Amino acid sequence: MLTETLGPVLIANRGEIARRVIRTVKRMGLRAIAVHSEADADLPFVREADEAVLIGPANPAQSYLDTDKVLEAARATGAKAVHPGYGFLSENSAFARAVIDAGMVWIGPAPESIDTMGDKINARNLMEAAGVPVAAGTREPVTDLSQALKAAESIGYPVMVKTAGGGGGIGMSVAHDDEGLAKAFEQAARAASRFTAGDALAGPAVLLERYIERARHVEVQILGLPDGRVVALGERDCSVQRRHQKVVEESPSPGITPELRERMLAAAVRAGEAVGYLGAGTVECLVDADKQDFVFLEMNTRLQVEHPVTELVTGLDLVELQLRVAAGESPEVRPVSAGHAIEFRVYAEDPKRFFPGPGKVVTWDEPTGEGVRVDSGYETGNTVTPFYDPLMAKLCVHGDSRADALEKGRKAVAAFIVEGPKNNLPFCAELLENAEFVTGDYDTGLVARMRALGENI
């Protein structure tokens, strides 16, 4: 049935996630079709696909983000389904509709769900109505500073200021007073304009929420099934961040109690049910580390970068589940978490200031061993270009306990040799010796504190 419904599958992405999806697609007996830019012609995912199509120059707007070129490649190769990976077009409802209108299977949630959850203000209002805890904040888009100042007075400082659309921490900042709010609002408004470009009537849609001083970023993996069920597959801690962007994740979260975990899983299921969610998605929450309570943050309507830690502790293949759900199956999924997993995102970036550092890979030597998994997009001889996200690989470890996973992490990070482009492996090694991280008692301010203390990151 899968072959008739889905094969061949076109992967509308690049790098490590394209390579990872290709692996499961081929294991399931389906043909995998890659699309690639001129800059990526020599990357492993192009070689490992059953067929690869050049769709344009390095500029993503002329290749990976060009919906017409991606759909043209799908038609030319006889693709029956499209998997978007993450980033690029993965949360573009117009692209999802175009795939469906072309008679292909969209391996993701319904376009309507993408639209609903893509607007953070609409999403938080829907979640509140569904009984999911939300932070005190604005219920309508804030479009000018006077509105923002009035809202902040009602909410109380400090406040988090962010765009109503988009993700990845873009435009986010914290304001502690009116002066700080003016700067934060201007920054968020500029970022928001990127999501409303071309709409002359749209203002800079900004959202304000009460800021949790000592917060953990914890997310719940859900799977919506065609029979209407929504299943929670566990949670992940994503609190190690720089510039509000994740760099290390682990599962289960060491910072929450079993009682809080159960409440979060139940809330995530309600969230999925409220939007009629289908496929793999993530309900992100902010946890007050001191009060052991949580609020809804946002929902990502796609596969997450950090999905491997959930796979390692549950033994599930989330891409396979995505494919089966897209084919109309409702598999019985009863996840049982075992052990502890940690993911280190290996970026081509300066390990001290985290600025991108592209370049040619002179040496690429991945660690191996029991409980070690590397999802990589590069190998020796490839070039990390400045055109895309600098993520090179995801180094994941799985142990019987968190202490076991930490020790495996230390050995694996030390054994991972990348020469050529700058990389953040020294930061990962430093993190693994940081007292807060080792004890598990950390929050989203950890990396900033490491920098302030002058540690060698």
Side-chain angles (χ1 to χ4, degrees), residues 116 118 138 142 214 224 237 299 302 327 341 362 404 437:
T116 298
T138 52
V142 177
R214 205 167 89 82
D237 197 299
M299 184 173 181
R302 55 173 167 77
V362 177
D404 185 25
F437 184 74

Side-chain angles (χ1 to χ4, degrees), residues 19 65 74 78 99 110 190 204 212 225 260 303 318 360 436:
R19 198 179 189 189
L65 291 173
V99 169
R190 283 199 306 268
I212 300 174
L225 301 169
L260 177 57
L303 192 68
L318 292 180
K360 184 174 181 179
E436 287 184 64

Side-chain angles (χ1 to χ4, degrees), residues 36-268:
H36 67 92
S37 69
E38 294 172 350
D40 286 344
D42 295 330
L43 293 191
F45 81 94
V46 176
R47 180 182 69 248
E48 292 171 3
D50 292 301
E51 187 174 354
V53 180
L54 173 65
I55 57 172
N59 185 341
Q62 298 175 289
S63 52
Y64 298 108
L65 291 173
D66 189 321
T67 59
D68 291 337
K69 288 182 178 178
V70 174
L71 287 172
E72 182 182 341
R75 294 189 189 95
T77 55
K80 292 184 179 180
V82 175
H83 192 300
Y86 55 73
F88 287 141
L89 297 170
S90 64
E91 293 180 287
N92 185 315
S93 61
F95 178 62
R97 288 188 179 92
V99 169
I100 295 168
D101 290 344
M104 300 175 219
V105 176
W106 169 251
I107 304 175
E112 294 76 17
S113 296
I114 297 175
D115 283 334
T116 298
M117 303 312 289
D119 185 316
K120 295 186 179 71
I121 295 176
N122 287 341
R124 59 173 284 123
N125 293 343
L126 176 64
M127 293 301 100
E128 187 173 28
V132 178
V134 300
T138 52
R139 299 296 186 267
E140 299 291 337
V142 177
T143 58
D144 61 54
L145 180 57
S146 63
Q147 285 182 305
L149 290 168
K150 186 176 180 179
E153 182 180 359
S154 174
I155 298 168
Y157 286 110
V159 294
M160 174 65 79
V161 185
K162 54 187 176 181
T163 61
I170 297 172
M172 288 177 58
S173 58
V174 180
H176 294 270
D177 52 34
D178 288 357
E179 182 179 354
L181 178 58
K183 295 178 181 178
F185 181 82
E186 181 182 0
Q187 175 181 320
R190 283 199 306 268
S193 66
R194 294 170 53 184
F195 305 111
T196 56
D199 187 347
L201 300 178
V206 173
L207 167 66
L208 273 69
E209 288 181 336
R210 176 70 180 178
Y211 176 68
I212 300 174
E213 292 281 9
R214 205 167 89 82
R216 297 193 75 125
H217 188 155
V218 181
E219 61 187 28
V220 180
Q221 176 71 59
I222 63 169
L223 183 72
L225 301 169
D227 63 13
R229 289 179 296 139
V230 176
V231 184
L233 305 181
E235 42 72 40
R236 305 181 284 255
D237 197 299
C238 310
S239 302
V240 181
Q241 304 177 3
R242 79 279 193 270
R243 297 190 300 275
H244 302 294
Q245 295 179 324
K246 307 164 188 173
V247 65
V248 174
E249 301 93 1
E250 59 180 311
S251 182
S253 171
I256 63 176
T257 64
E259 184 271 338
L260 177 57
R261 178 174 291 108
E262 289 305 312
R263 284 198 288 128
M264 292 180 67
L265 296 182

Side-chain angles (χ1 to χ4, degrees), residues 7-50:
V9 178
L10 182 138
I11 297 92
N13 219 293
R14 65 176 297 279
E16 63 84 16
I17 187 58
R19 198 179 189 189
R20 186 264 171 277
V21 174
I22 288 169
R23 185 169 67 242
T24 291
V25 167
K26 294 177 72 170
R27 179 179 61 77
M28 296 179 70
L30 303 170
R31 280 179 56 79
I33 300 169
V35 293
H36 67 92
S37 69
E38 294 172 350
D40 286 344
D42 295 330
L43 293 191
F45 81 94
V46 176
R47 180 182 69 248
E48 292 171 3
D50 292 301

Side-chain angles (χ1 to χ4, degrees), residues 380-456:
T380 299
N382 294 152
T383 297
V384 181
T385 67
F387 305 109
Y388 315 111
D389 186 277
L391 179 66
M392 296 188 292
K394 300 181 302 196
L395 168 59
C396 309
V397 294
H398 180 237
D400 294 333
S401 64
R402 187 169 188 268
D404 185 25
L406 288 171
E407 187 56 31
K408 286 184 177 179
R410 293 185 185 98
K411 293 178 180 177
V413 167
F416 202 157
I417 307 301
V418 178
E419 296 177 346
K422 296 178 181 178
N423 67 81
N424 68 333
L425 284 167
F427 164 76
C428 296
E430 203 65 38
L431 178 73
L432 284 161
E433 302 302 328
N434 177 273
E436 287 184 64
F437 184 74
V438 171
T439 62
D441 185 19
Y442 62 93
D443 55 60
T444 55
L446 173 60
V447 176
R449 288 192 295 275
M450 291 174 70
R451 180 181 291 113
L453 289 171
E455 296 190 16
N456 182 24

